Structures are given as C-alpha cells and as structure tokens.
Coordinates of all heavy atoms in Angstrom, one line a residue:
M1 N 3.6 9.3 -3.8 CA 3.0 9.1 -2.5 C 1.6 8.7 -2.5 O 0.8 9.2 -3.4 CB 3.2 10.4 -1.7 CG 4.6 10.7 -1.2 SD 4.5 11.9 0.1 CE 6.2 12.1 0.4
S2 N 1.1 8.0 -1.6 CA -0.3 7.5 -1.5 C -1.0 8.3 -0.4 O -0.5 8.4 0.7 CB -0.3 6.1 -1.1 OG 0.4 5.3 -2.1
K3 N -2.1 8.9 -0.8 CA -2.8 9.7 0.2 C -3.5 8.7 1.2 O -4.1 7.7 0.8 CB -3.9 10.5 -0.5 CG -4.6 11.5 0.4 CD -5.6 12.3 -0.4 CE -6.3 13.2 0.5 NZ -7.2 14.1 -0.1
L4 N -3.4 9.1 2.5 CA -4.1 8.3 3.5 C -5.6 8.5 3.5 O -6.0 9.6 3.1 CB -3.5 8.7 4.9 CG -2.0 8.2 5.1 CD1 -1.4 8.9 6.3 CD2 -2.0 6.7 5.2
P5 N -6.3 7.5 3.9 CA -7.8 7.6 3.9 C -8.3 8.6 4.9 O -7.6 8.9 5.9 CB -8.3 6.2 4.1 CG -7.1 5.5 4.8 CD -5.9 6.2 4.3
K6 N -9.5 9.1 4.7 CA -10.1 10.1 5.7 C -10.3 9.5 7.1 O -10.2 10.3 8.0 CB -11.4 10.6 5.1 CG -11.3 11.5 3.9 CD -12.6 12.0 3.5 CE -12.4 12.9 2.3 NZ -13.5 13.7 2.0
W7 N -10.5 8.2 7.2 CA -10.7 7.6 8.5 C -9.4 7.6 9.3 O -9.5 7.4 10.5 CB -11.3 6.2 8.4 CG -10.5 5.3 7.6 CD1 -10.7 4.9 6.3 CD2 -9.4 4.5 8.0 NE1 -9.8 4.0 5.9 CE2 -9.0 3.7 6.9 CE3 -8.7 4.4 9.2 CZ2 -7.9 2.9 7.0 CZ3 -7.6 3.6 9.3 CH2 -7.2 2.8 8.2
F8 N -8.3 7.7 8.7 CA -7.0 7.6 9.4 C -6.8 8.8 10.3 O -6.8 9.9 9.9 CB -5.8 7.5 8.4 CG -4.5 7.4 9.0 CD1 -4.0 6.2 9.4 CD2 -3.7 8.5 9.2 CE1 -2.8 6.1 10.0 CE2 -2.4 8.4 9.8 CZ -2.0 7.2 10.2
K9 N -6.6 8.5 11.6 CA -6.4 9.5 12.6 C -5.1 9.4 13.3 O -4.9 10.0 14.4 CB -7.6 9.5 13.6 CG -9.0 9.6 13.1 CD -9.2 11.0 12.4 CE -10.6 11.1 11.9 NZ -10.7 12.0 10.8
G10 N -4.2 8.6 12.8 CA -2.9 8.4 13.4 C -2.0 9.6 13.1 O -2.3 10.5 12.4
E11 N -0.7 9.4 13.5 CA 0.3 10.4 13.3 C 0.8 10.4 11.8 O 1.0 9.3 11.3 CB 1.5 10.2 14.2 CG 2.5 11.3 14.1 CD 3.6 11.2 15.1 OE1 3.5 10.4 16.1 OE2 4.6 11.9 15.0
L12 N 0.9 11.5 11.2 CA 1.3 11.6 9.8 C 2.8 12.0 9.8 O 3.1 13.1 10.2 CB 0.5 12.5 9.0 CG 0.9 12.7 7.5 CD1 1.0 11.3 6.8 CD2 0.0 13.6 6.8
Y13 N 3.7 11.1 9.4 CA 5.1 11.5 9.4 C 5.4 12.3 8.1 O 4.8 12.2 7.1 CB 5.9 10.2 9.4 CG 5.7 9.4 10.6 CD1 5.2 8.1 10.6 CD2 6.0 9.9 11.9 CE1 5.0 7.3 11.7 CE2 5.8 9.1 13.0 CZ 5.3 7.9 12.9 OH 5.1 7.1 14.1
K14 N 6.5 13.1 8.2 CA 6.9 13.9 7.1 C 7.9 13.2 6.3 O 8.1 13.6 5.1 CB 7.5 15.2 7.6 CG 6.5 16.1 8.3 CD 7.1 17.4 8.8 CE 6.2 18.1 9.7 NZ 5.3 19.1 9.2
K15 N 8.6 12.2 6.8 CA 9.6 11.5 6.1 C 9.4 10.0 6.2 O 8.8 9.5 7.2 CB 11.0 11.7 6.7 CG 11.5 13.1 6.5 CD 12.9 13.2 7.1 CE 13.5 14.6 6.9 NZ 14.9 14.7 7.4
G16 N 9.9 9.3 5.3 CA 9.8 7.8 5.3 C 11.0 7.3 6.1 O 11.9 8.0 6.5
A17 N 11.1 5.9 6.1 CA 12.2 5.3 6.8 C 12.3 3.8 6.5 O 11.3 3.2 6.0 CB 12.0 5.4 8.4
E18 N 13.4 3.2 6.8 CA 13.7 1.8 6.6 C 13.0 1.1 7.8 O 13.2 1.5 8.9 CB 15.2 1.5 6.6 CG 15.5 0.1 6.2 CD 15.5 -0.2 4.7 OE1 15.5 0.8 3.9 OE2 15.5 -1.4 4.4
V19 N 12.2 0.1 7.5 CA 11.6 -0.7 8.6 C 12.0 -2.1 8.5 O 12.0 -2.7 7.4 CB 10.0 -0.5 8.5 CG1 9.3 -1.4 9.5 CG2 9.6 0.9 8.6
T20 N 12.3 -2.7 9.6 CA 12.7 -4.1 9.7 C 11.6 -5.0 10.3 O 11.0 -4.6 11.4 CB 14.0 -4.3 10.5 OG1 15.0 -3.4 9.9 CG2 14.5 -5.7 10.6
N21 N 11.3 -6.1 9.7 CA 10.3 -7.1 10.3 C 10.9 -7.6 11.6 O 12.0 -8.1 11.7 CB 10.1 -8.2 9.3 CG 9.2 -9.3 9.8 OD1 9.3 -9.8 10.9 ND2 8.1 -9.5 9.0
R22 N 10.0 -7.4 12.6 CA 10.5 -7.8 14.0 C 10.7 -9.3 14.2 O 11.3 -9.7 15.2 CB 9.5 -7.2 15.0 CG 8.1 -7.6 14.8 CD 7.2 -6.8 15.7 NE 5.8 -7.2 15.4 CZ 4.8 -7.1 16.2 NH1 5.0 -6.8 17.4 NH2 3.6 -7.5 15.9
F23 N 10.2 -10.1 13.3 CA 10.3 -11.5 13.5 C 11.3 -12.1 12.5 O 12.1 -12.9 12.9 CB 8.9 -12.2 13.2 CG 7.9 -11.7 14.2 CD1 6.8 -11.0 13.7 CD2 7.9 -12.0 15.5 CE1 5.8 -10.6 14.6 CE2 7.0 -11.6 16.4 CZ 5.9 -10.9 15.9
G24 N 11.3 -11.7 11.3 CA 12.2 -12.3 10.3 C 13.5 -11.5 10.0 O 14.4 -12.1 9.5
G25 N 13.5 -10.2 10.3 CA 14.7 -9.5 10.1 C 14.8 -8.8 8.7 O 15.7 -8.0 8.5
D26 N 13.9 -9.2 7.8 CA 13.9 -8.5 6.5 C 13.5 -7.1 6.6 O 12.7 -6.7 7.5 CB 13.0 -9.3 5.5 CG 13.5 -10.7 5.2 OD1 14.7 -10.9 5.2 OD2 12.7 -11.5 4.9
S27 N 13.9 -6.2 5.7 CA 13.5 -4.8 5.8 C 13.2 -4.2 4.4 O 13.5 -4.8 3.4 CB 14.6 -4.0 6.5 OG 15.8 -4.0 5.7
C28 N 12.5 -3.1 4.5 CA 12.2 -2.3 3.3 C 11.9 -0.9 3.6 O 11.7 -0.6 4.8 CB 11.0 -2.9 2.5 SG 9.5 -3.1 3.4
Y29 N 12.1 0.0 2.6 CA 11.8 1.4 2.8 C 10.4 1.7 2.6 O 9.7 1.2 1.7 CB 12.7 2.2 1.8 CG 12.5 3.7 2.0 CD1 13.2 4.4 3.0 CD2 11.5 4.4 1.3 CE1 13.0 5.7 3.2 CE2 11.3 5.8 1.5 CZ 12.1 6.4 2.4 OH 11.9 7.8 2.7
L30 N 9.8 2.5 3.6 CA 8.4 3.0 3.5 C 8.4 4.5 3.3 O 9.2 5.2 4.0 CB 7.6 2.6 4.7 CG 7.6 1.1 5.0 CD1 6.8 0.9 6.3 CD2 7.0 0.3 3.9
N31 N 7.6 5.0 2.4 CA 7.4 6.5 2.3 C 6.7 7.0 3.6 O 6.3 6.2 4.4 CB 6.8 6.9 1.0 CG 5.3 6.5 0.9 OD1 4.6 6.4 1.9 ND2 4.9 6.2 -0.3
A32 N 6.5 8.3 3.7 CA 5.9 8.9 4.9 C 4.5 8.3 5.2 O 4.2 8.0 6.3 CB 5.9 10.4 4.8
E33 N 3.7 8.2 4.2 CA 2.3 7.7 4.4 C 2.3 6.2 4.7 O 1.6 5.8 5.6 CB 1.5 8.0 3.1 CG 1.1 9.4 2.9 CD 2.2 10.2 2.2 OE1 3.2 9.6 1.8 OE2 2.0 11.4 2.2
E34 N 3.1 5.5 4.1 CA 3.2 4.0 4.4 C 3.7 3.8 5.8 O 3.2 3.0 6.5 CB 4.1 3.3 3.4 CG 3.6 3.3 2.0 CD 4.6 2.9 0.9 OE1 5.8 2.9 1.2 OE2 4.2 2.7 -0.2
L35 N 4.7 4.6 6.2 CA 5.2 4.5 7.6 C 4.2 4.9 8.6 O 4.1 4.2 9.6 CB 6.5 5.4 7.7 CG 7.2 5.3 9.0 CD1 7.7 3.9 9.4 CD2 8.4 6.3 9.0
S36 N 3.4 5.9 8.3 CA 2.4 6.3 9.2 C 1.3 5.2 9.4 O 0.9 4.9 10.5 CB 1.7 7.6 8.6 OG 2.6 8.7 8.6
M37 N 0.9 4.6 8.3 CA 0.0 3.5 8.3 C 0.6 2.3 9.0 O -0.1 1.6 9.8 CB -0.6 3.2 7.0 CG -1.7 2.1 7.0 SD -3.2 2.7 7.8 CE -3.9 3.8 6.6
Y38 N 1.8 2.0 8.7 CA 2.5 0.8 9.4 C 2.5 1.0 10.9 O 2.1 0.1 11.6 CB 3.9 0.7 8.8 CG 4.7 -0.3 9.5 CD1 4.6 -1.7 9.2 CD2 5.6 0.0 10.6 CE1 5.3 -2.7 9.9 CE2 6.3 -1.0 11.2 CZ 6.2 -2.3 10.9 OH 6.9 -3.3 11.5
D39 N 2.9 2.2 11.4 CA 2.9 2.4 12.8 C 1.5 2.3 13.4 O 1.3 1.8 14.5 CB 3.5 3.8 13.1 CG 5.0 3.7 13.1 OD1 5.6 2.6 13.0 OD2 5.6 4.8 13.3
F40 N 0.5 2.8 12.7 CA -0.9 2.7 13.1 C -1.3 1.2 13.3 O -1.9 0.8 14.3 CB -1.9 3.4 12.1 CG -3.3 3.1 12.4 CD1 -4.0 3.8 13.4 CD2 -4.0 2.2 11.7 CE1 -5.3 3.6 13.6 CE2 -5.3 1.9 11.9 CZ -6.0 2.6 12.9
I41 N -0.9 0.4 12.3 CA -1.2 -1.0 12.3 C -0.5 -1.7 13.5 O -1.2 -2.5 14.2 CB -0.8 -1.7 11.0 CG1 -1.7 -1.2 9.8 CG2 -0.8 -3.2 11.1 CD1 -1.2 -1.5 8.4
I42 N 0.7 -1.5 13.6 CA 1.5 -2.1 14.7 C 1.0 -1.7 16.1 O 0.8 -2.5 17.0 CB 3.0 -1.8 14.6 CG1 3.6 -2.4 13.3 CG2 3.8 -2.3 15.8 CD1 3.4 -4.0 13.2
G43 N 0.7 -0.4 16.2 CA 0.1 0.1 17.5 C -1.2 -0.5 17.8 O -1.5 -0.9 18.9
S44 N -2.1 -0.5 16.8 CA -3.4 -1.1 17.0 C -3.3 -2.6 17.4 O -4.1 -3.0 18.2 CB -4.2 -0.9 15.7 OG -4.5 0.4 15.4
T45 N -2.4 -3.3 16.7 CA -2.2 -4.7 17.0 C -1.8 -4.9 18.4 O -2.3 -5.8 19.2 CB -1.2 -5.3 16.0 OG1 -1.7 -5.2 14.7 CG2 -1.0 -6.8 16.3
M46 N -0.9 -4.1 18.9 CA -0.4 -4.2 20.3 C -1.5 -3.9 21.3 O -1.6 -4.6 22.3 CB 0.8 -3.3 20.5 CG 2.0 -3.7 19.7 SD 3.4 -2.5 19.8 CE 4.1 -3.1 21.3
V47 N -2.3 -2.9 21.0 CA -3.4 -2.5 22.0 C -4.4 -3.7 22.0 O -4.8 -4.1 23.1 CB -4.0 -1.2 21.5 CG1 -5.3 -1.0 22.3 CG2 -3.1 0.0 21.8
L48 N -4.7 -4.2 20.9 CA -5.7 -5.3 20.9 C -5.2 -6.6 21.5 O -5.9 -7.3 22.2 CB -6.2 -5.6 19.4 CG -7.0 -4.5 18.8 CD1 -7.2 -4.8 17.3 CD2 -8.3 -4.4 19.5
E49 N -3.9 -6.9 21.3 CA -3.3 -8.1 21.9 C -3.2 -8.0 23.4 O -3.3 -8.9 24.1 CB -1.9 -8.3 21.3 CG -1.9 -8.9 19.9 CD -0.5 -9.0 19.3 OE1 0.5 -8.5 19.9 OE2 -0.4 -9.6 18.2
M50 N -3.0 -6.7 23.9 CA -2.9 -6.5 25.4 C -4.3 -6.4 26.0 O -4.4 -6.3 27.2 CB -2.1 -5.3 25.6 CG -0.7 -5.5 25.3 SD 0.4 -4.0 25.3 CE -0.3 -2.9 26.5
G51 N -5.4 -6.4 25.2 CA -6.7 -6.4 25.7 C -7.2 -5.0 26.1 O -8.1 -4.8 26.9
G52 N -6.5 -4.0 25.6 CA -6.8 -2.6 26.0 C -7.9 -2.0 25.2 O -7.7 -1.6 24.1
G53 N -9.1 -1.9 25.7 CA -10.2 -1.2 25.1 C -10.7 -1.8 23.8 O -10.9 -1.1 22.8
Y54 N -10.8 -3.1 23.8 CA -11.3 -3.8 22.5 C -12.7 -3.3 22.2 O -13.6 -3.2 23.0 CB -11.3 -5.3 22.7 CG -12.1 -6.0 21.7 CD1 -11.5 -6.2 20.4 CD2 -13.4 -6.4 21.9 CE1 -12.2 -6.9 19.4 CE2 -14.1 -7.1 20.9 CZ -13.5 -7.3 19.7 OH -14.2 -7.9 18.7
K55 N -12.8 -2.8 21.0 CA -14.1 -2.4 20.4 C -14.1 -3.0 19.0 O -13.1 -3.1 18.3 CB -14.2 -0.9 20.4 CG -14.2 -0.2 21.7 CD -14.4 1.2 21.5 CE -13.4 1.9 22.4 NZ -13.1 3.3 22.1
H56 N -15.3 -3.2 18.5 CA -15.5 -3.6 17.1 C -14.8 -2.6 16.2 O -14.2 -3.0 15.2 CB -17.0 -3.8 16.8 CG -17.2 -4.2 15.3 ND1 -16.9 -5.4 14.9 CD2 -17.7 -3.5 14.3 CE1 -17.1 -5.5 13.6 NE2 -17.6 -4.3 13.2
T57 N -15.0 -1.3 16.5 CA -14.4 -0.3 15.6 C -12.9 -0.4 15.5 O -12.3 -0.1 14.5 CB -14.8 1.1 16.0 OG1 -14.5 1.3 17.3 CG2 -16.3 1.3 15.8
D58 N -12.2 -0.8 16.6 CA -10.8 -1.0 16.7 C -10.3 -2.0 15.7 O -9.4 -1.8 14.9 CB -10.3 -1.3 18.1 CG -10.5 -0.3 19.1 OD1 -10.7 0.9 18.7 OD2 -10.6 -0.6 20.3
V59 N -11.0 -3.2 15.7 CA -10.7 -4.3 14.8 C -11.0 -3.8 13.4 O -10.2 -4.1 12.4 CB -11.5 -5.5 15.2 CG1 -11.2 -6.6 14.1 CG2 -11.1 -6.0 16.5
S60 N -12.1 -3.2 13.2 CA -12.5 -2.7 11.8 C -11.4 -1.7 11.2 O -11.0 -1.9 10.1 CB -13.8 -2.0 11.9 OG -14.2 -1.5 10.6
L61 N -10.9 -0.8 12.1 CA -9.9 0.1 11.6 C -8.6 -0.6 11.3 O -7.9 -0.3 10.4 CB -9.7 1.3 12.6 CG -10.8 2.2 12.7 CD1 -10.5 3.3 13.8 CD2 -11.1 2.9 11.4
L62 N -8.2 -1.6 12.1 CA -7.0 -2.4 11.9 C -7.1 -3.1 10.6 O -6.2 -3.0 9.8 CB -6.8 -3.4 13.0 CG -5.7 -4.4 12.8 CD1 -4.3 -3.7 12.6 CD2 -5.6 -5.3 14.0
R63 N -8.3 -3.7 10.3 CA -8.4 -4.4 9.0 C -8.4 -3.4 7.8 O -7.8 -3.7 6.8 CB -9.8 -5.1 9.0 CG -9.7 -6.4 9.9 CD -11.0 -7.2 9.8 NE -10.9 -8.3 10.6 CZ -11.9 -8.8 11.3 NH1 -13.1 -8.2 11.3 NH2 -11.7 -9.9 12.1
K64 N -9.0 -2.2 8.0 CA -8.9 -1.2 7.0 C -7.5 -0.8 6.7 O -7.1 -0.6 5.6 CB -9.7 0.0 7.3 CG -11.2 -0.1 7.2 CD -11.9 1.2 7.6 CE -13.4 1.1 7.4 NZ -14.1 2.3 7.7
G65 N -6.7 -0.6 7.8 CA -5.3 -0.3 7.7 C -4.5 -1.3 6.9 O -3.7 -1.0 6.0
L66 N -4.8 -2.6 7.3 CA -4.1 -3.7 6.6 C -4.5 -3.7 5.1 O -3.6 -3.9 4.2 CB -4.4 -5.0 7.2 CG -3.8 -5.3 8.6 CD1 -4.4 -6.4 9.3 CD2 -2.3 -5.5 8.5
D67 N -5.7 -3.5 4.8 CA -6.2 -3.5 3.4 C -5.5 -2.3 2.6 O -5.1 -2.5 1.5 CB -7.7 -3.4 3.3 CG -8.4 -4.6 3.7 OD1 -7.8 -5.7 3.8 OD2 -9.6 -4.6 4.0
W68 N -5.5 -1.2 3.3 CA -4.9 0.0 2.6 C -3.4 -0.3 2.3 O -2.9 0.0 1.2 CB -5.0 1.2 3.5 CG -4.4 2.5 2.9 CD1 -5.1 3.4 2.2 CD2 -3.0 2.9 2.9 NE1 -4.2 4.4 1.8 CE2 -3.0 4.1 2.2 CE3 -1.9 2.4 3.5 CZ2 -1.8 4.8 2.0 CZ3 -0.7 3.0 3.3 CH2 -0.6 4.2 2.6
F69 N -2.7 -0.8 3.3 CA -1.3 -1.1 3.1 C -1.1 -2.1 2.0 O -0.2 -1.9 1.2 CB -0.7 -1.6 4.4 CG 0.8 -1.4 4.5 CD1 1.3 -0.3 5.1 CD2 1.7 -2.3 3.9 CE1 2.7 -0.1 5.2 CE2 3.0 -2.1 4.0 CZ 3.6 -1.0 4.6
R70 N -1.8 -3.2 2.0 CA -1.7 -4.2 1.0 C -2.0 -3.6 -0.4 O -1.2 -4.0 -1.4 CB -2.8 -5.3 1.2 CG -2.5 -6.6 0.4 CD -3.6 -7.7 0.8 NE -3.7 -8.0 2.2 CZ -4.8 -7.7 2.9 NH1 -5.8 -7.2 2.4 NH2 -4.8 -8.0 4.2
Q71 N -2.9 -2.7 -0.6 CA -3.2 -2.1 -1.9 C -2.1 -1.2 -2.3 O -1.8 -1.1 -3.5 CB -4.5 -1.3 -1.8 CG -5.7 -2.2 -1.8 CD -7.0 -1.3 -1.7 OE1 -7.1 -0.3 -1.0 NE2 -8.0 -1.7 -2.5
H72 N -1.5 -0.5 -1.4 CA -0.6 0.6 -1.8 C 0.9 0.1 -1.8 O 1.7 0.8 -2.5 CB -0.7 1.8 -0.8 CG -2.0 2.5 -1.1 ND1 -3.2 2.2 -0.5 CD2 -2.3 3.6 -1.9 CE1 -4.1 3.0 -0.9 NE2 -3.6 3.8 -1.8
N73 N 1.2 -0.9 -1.2 CA 2.6 -1.5 -1.2 C 2.6 -2.9 -0.9 O 3.0 -3.3 0.2 CB 3.5 -0.7 -0.3 CG 5.0 -1.0 -0.6 OD1 5.3 -2.0 -1.2 ND2 5.9 -0.1 -0.2
A74 N 2.1 -3.7 -1.8 CA 2.0 -5.2 -1.6 C 3.3 -5.9 -1.2 O 3.3 -6.8 -0.4 CB 1.4 -5.9 -2.8
E75 N 4.4 -5.4 -1.9 CA 5.7 -6.0 -1.6 C 6.1 -5.8 -0.1 O 6.5 -6.7 0.6 CB 6.7 -5.4 -2.5 CG 8.1 -6.1 -2.4 CD 9.1 -5.5 -3.4 OE1 8.7 -5.1 -4.5 OE2 10.3 -5.5 -3.0
A76 N 6.0 -4.5 0.3 CA 6.3 -4.2 1.7 C 5.4 -4.9 2.7 O 5.8 -5.4 3.8 CB 6.3 -2.7 2.0
Y77 N 4.1 -5.1 2.3 CA 3.1 -5.8 3.1 C 3.6 -7.2 3.4 O 3.6 -7.7 4.5 CB 1.8 -5.8 2.5 CG 0.7 -6.6 3.2 CD1 0.0 -6.0 4.2 CD2 0.5 -7.9 2.9 CE1 -0.9 -6.8 5.0 CE2 -0.4 -8.7 3.6 CZ -1.1 -8.1 4.6 OH -2.0 -8.9 5.3
M78 N 4.1 -7.9 2.3 CA 4.5 -9.3 2.4 C 5.8 -9.4 3.3 O 5.9 -10.3 4.0 CB 4.8 -9.8 1.0 CG 3.6 -10.0 0.1 SD 2.3 -11.0 0.8 CE 3.1 -12.6 0.6
V79 N 6.6 -8.4 3.2 CA 7.9 -8.4 4.0 C 7.6 -8.1 5.5 O 8.1 -8.7 6.4 CB 8.9 -7.4 3.4 CG1 10.1 -7.2 4.4 CG2 9.4 -7.8 2.1
L80 N 6.7 -7.1 5.7 CA 6.6 -6.6 7.1 C 5.4 -7.1 7.9 O 5.4 -7.2 9.1 CB 6.5 -5.1 7.0 CG 7.7 -4.3 6.5 CD1 7.4 -2.9 6.3 CD2 9.0 -4.6 7.3
L81 N 4.3 -7.4 7.2 CA 3.0 -7.7 7.9 C 2.4 -9.0 7.6 O 1.5 -9.4 8.3 CB 2.0 -6.6 7.5 CG 2.4 -5.2 7.9 CD1 1.5 -4.1 7.3 CD2 2.4 -5.0 9.5
D82 N 2.9 -9.7 6.7 CA 2.3 -11.0 6.3 C 2.8 -12.1 7.2 O 3.9 -12.3 7.5 CB 2.5 -11.4 4.8 CG 1.6 -12.5 4.4 OD1 0.5 -12.6 4.9 OD2 2.1 -13.3 3.6

C-alpha cells in the first residue's frame, strides 16, 4: 500500500475496488489509497469544470494528486486518467 501525502484531506477508503474509465471502458483494480486519491482527482476535476470555487490551491492540489497517482501506479494512471 502507498501512504497518502499529508496534504490529502479527502476520504480514505478501507477497501480497494475495480474502477472503469468513464470514456474508454477499460478498467483496473485500485487499492484503498489509490481509490481514495482517484476519487479526490475526479471530484476536484468536476468541481473545477463546473466553475465551483476556483482557487489556485484547488488546481495545485489536483496537480499534486495527479502526480502522486502517476508515481504510485503509472499503469492505472494511463488507463484511468491519461
């Protein structure tokens, strides 16, 4: 398991799950930490796309989340987020 960074304030899941790319349909299994970060990334993206409360820190945290995910599971990053 990969420890989540201190800046992460999202929900921490106890179990992992299979996640499917919403555009391409490919899927992969994420452990609890990866799933927590994935949901943080998707949620942050949706908020920013809807124009809800845009702040520089929101974009910064989204980028940090993407970097963390890429470092800890590059294969799943390519399937789900690239």
